[in-house]
Amino acid sequence: MRREQNGSTQPFKTQPVFNNWDVVNEGWYFLGKSKTIKVGAIEPFELCGQRVVVFRGADGRLRALDAFCPHMGTDLAIGKVVDNDIRCFFHHWSFNGDGECTDIPCGATVPKKAKLQSYDVRERYGLIWIWPGAEAAHEVPCYPELEDEEVYAICGRSYIRNCHPTVNMINGLDAQHLKTVHNISIDMELQTQEASDGRIIDFQMTGPLPQENAAHRLMSKMMGGSYAYSMRYVDATVGLLRTMEKVKWFGKFEAEPTRMMFAYTPLSKGQTRVQPIFIARKPASILGRLKSYSLLLAMTFGFLWLRDEDGKVYDNIRFQPNALLKIDKGVARFVQYVNRLKLSPWSTTHQYRGPSRGLVSLPGPSTAKEPGAVVREIQEDVG
């Protein structure tokens, strides 16, 4: 990783959670597509330094456990699903979805240590999601206004970024790069709001459409003169983007926002898999559905263009917020938010003060600063 480079001239400052590969915060992490695991199948996944097995029982439900049998460490991925349990290939010990040993064929009494860590696993948008613990704190994120509606969901092709997921996420709230990277000239004003539980942060950017030439002026007249987009981050593992907000065609007809979700999964130190999900309402009428689906397809092509340009940045970045400007206050606010998130048992080393203000200690040395010091530094940088 690049953080080891330029150590004497540009020393790297380790932060409590943001851009820190030694910690894994709570949240939903996507694993793969639901259709890959049929009834009776087992699939191994590696993420965040963990190896887990996901299997689908006879009842059709998915279950997830740590991958190694507590008896002698055999990889359960080579085992077999029996009813709703997974059976180890080596000595045929069986475990249920809660990680409890349900059978030892040799007739021995089940040892107290014969238990595996289980994980909450869900299916939504055609994807498999895992929570780094037995019981999730909330449901898989969705757009609140679509929670009870039928939707189209197209899973785009996932891609790899050679940076920490929280670094990749700043792309969605850095309005400056719309001009410098994508040549989109809109002056955006930022508003932020953070949920009381510390898990959700919202960013909205609003601005007048440019009037630099005749084409811009025509577009501005058609779209009502202003533009906005918003980004909601949930646990810094999922981002929900809305574009085309506050647009009124010819000043009369309110446009339906476009919606694109991003799920971020750290694979190993240095690499993140990003899964884009394009979401739209599923209207009752055939014509409405055709229009909605056509909009999704247009979104996918537009995203591919922007993604490739941004890739030049995030595949070669050594992120350090050392000289932030006032215009970077959205990035600074996001870093502060991430550094207050709650850690999961998958973390290997750290000490931090979470949303409850209680200090959580995990084994191992830590070179990270206490979050308050990091926050103060960022505030001083931004001014």
Side-chain angles (χ1 to χ4, degrees), residues 195-212:
S196 58
D197 64 1
R199 292 188 176 277
I200 297 175
I201 190 167
D202 288 308
F203 297 87
Q204 186 178 67
M205 301 186 193
T206 310
L209 289 168
Q211 307 283 328
E212 297 174 0

Side-chain angles (χ1 to χ4, degrees), residues 106-338:
C106 69
T109 302
V110 176
K112 290 183 179 180
K113 292 184 178 181
K115 184 173 174 60
L116 289 165
Q117 174 65 53
S118 64
Y119 299 105
D120 204 339
V121 63
R122 310 282 178 90
E123 295 179 90
R124 192 164 196 170
Y125 310 117
L127 296 175
I128 302 167
W129 304 79
I130 191 169
W131 183 276
E135 187 175 353
H138 56 78
E139 298 295 320
V140 175
C142 68
Y143 289 91
E145 69 274 19
L146 301 181
E147 188 171 2
D148 299 321
E149 293 194 31
E150 194 174 0
V151 299
Y152 285 117
I154 296 179
C155 295
R157 181 176 295 180
S158 63
Y159 55 96
I160 302 296
R161 283 281 185 256
N162 296 318
C163 65
H164 193 275
T166 55
V167 171
N168 196 179
M169 289 177 206
I170 67 174
N171 182 61
L173 48 94
D174 177 18
Q176 287 185 83
H177 92 284
L178 294 176
K179 292 183 180 181
T180 56
V181 176
H182 304 305
N183 200 29
I184 301 174
S185 183
I186 303 180
D187 291 319
M188 309 292 282
E189 181 180 342
L190 173 69
Q191 292 182 322
T192 65
Q193 184 174 357
E194 192 170 345
S196 58
D197 64 1
R199 292 188 176 277
I200 297 175
I201 190 167
D202 288 308
F203 297 87
Q204 186 178 67
M205 301 186 193
T206 310
L209 289 168
Q211 307 283 328
E212 297 174 0
N213 52 49
H216 286 167
R217 288 190 290 273
L218 176 61
M219 182 62 68
S220 177
K221 187 173 182 180
M222 290 174 58
M223 297 177 65
S226 64
Y227 183 85
Y229 77 91
S230 64
M231 195 77 188
R232 164 171 286 194
Y233 290 103
V234 183
D235 296 314
T237 62
V238 177
L240 296 93
L241 172 67
R242 289 187 193 86
T243 61
M244 298 290 289
E245 291 186 327
K246 297 187 177 182
V247 169
K248 285 191 175 182
W249 295 112
F250 303 103
K252 296 181 179 179
F253 308 106
E254 189 168 343
E256 174 74 6
T258 58
R259 299 174 178 89
M260 184 163 46
M261 182 180 295
F262 297 90
Y264 304 85
T265 301
L267 299 180
S268 59
K269 289 189 176 182
Q271 284 197 326
T272 296
R273 188 167 74 242
V274 185
Q275 174 66 59
I277 310 163
F278 307 93
I279 297 173
R281 296 180 192 273
K282 194 173 185 179
S285 68
I286 295 177
L287 179 60
R289 292 188 178 191
L290 181 61
K291 289 171 61 179
S292 187
Y293 201 80
S294 299
L295 178 62
L296 281 181
L297 294 178
M299 287 169 58
T300 60
F301 288 115
F303 168 68
L304 289 175
W305 165 57
L306 296 175
R307 185 194 73 181
D308 290 342
E309 289 185 334
D310 289 332
K312 297 176 184 178
V313 176
Y314 291 101
D315 284 338
N316 299 281
I317 198 168
R318 184 183 184 268
F319 185 83
Q320 280 280 69
N322 286 335
L324 297 182
L325 306 172
K326 288 186 177 181
I327 199 172
D328 298 317
K329 62 182 179 180
V331 175
R333 179 75 181 271
F334 180 70
V335 172
Q336 294 168 13
Y337 150 77
V338 173

Side-chain angles (χ1 to χ4, degrees), residues 3 12-21 23 25 164-170 236 319-321 331-332 334-341 350 374 378:
R3 65 183 61 197
F12 188 87
K13 299 177 183 177
T14 302
Q15 301 205 36
V17 184
F18 183 88
N19 197 20
N20 189 334
W21 290 98
V23 301
N25 57 279
H164 193 275
T166 55
V167 171
N168 196 179
M169 289 177 206
I170 67 174
F319 185 83
Q320 280 280 69
V331 175
F334 180 70
V335 172
Q336 294 168 13
Y337 150 77
V338 173
N339 280 333
R340 292 192 294 265
L341 290 172
H350 206 40
V374 177
I378 294 172

Side-chain angles (χ1 to χ4, degrees), residues 38-42 53-65 76 79-89 92-104 116:
K38 309 296 184 183
V39 171
I42 306 169
V53 288
V54 179
F55 62 99
R56 196 181 295 276
D59 60 1
R61 282 184 52 220
L62 289 180
R63 295 161 175 84
L65 303 170
L76 293 173
K80 182 179 180 181
V81 176
V82 179
D83 294 328
N84 296 319
D85 293 358
I86 189 170
R87 188 175 72 189
C88 180
F89 177 80
H92 288 196
W93 287 28
S94 293
F95 301 88
N96 63 20
D98 293 325
E100 299 167 340
C101 184
T102 57
D103 182 51
I104 297 179
L116 289 165

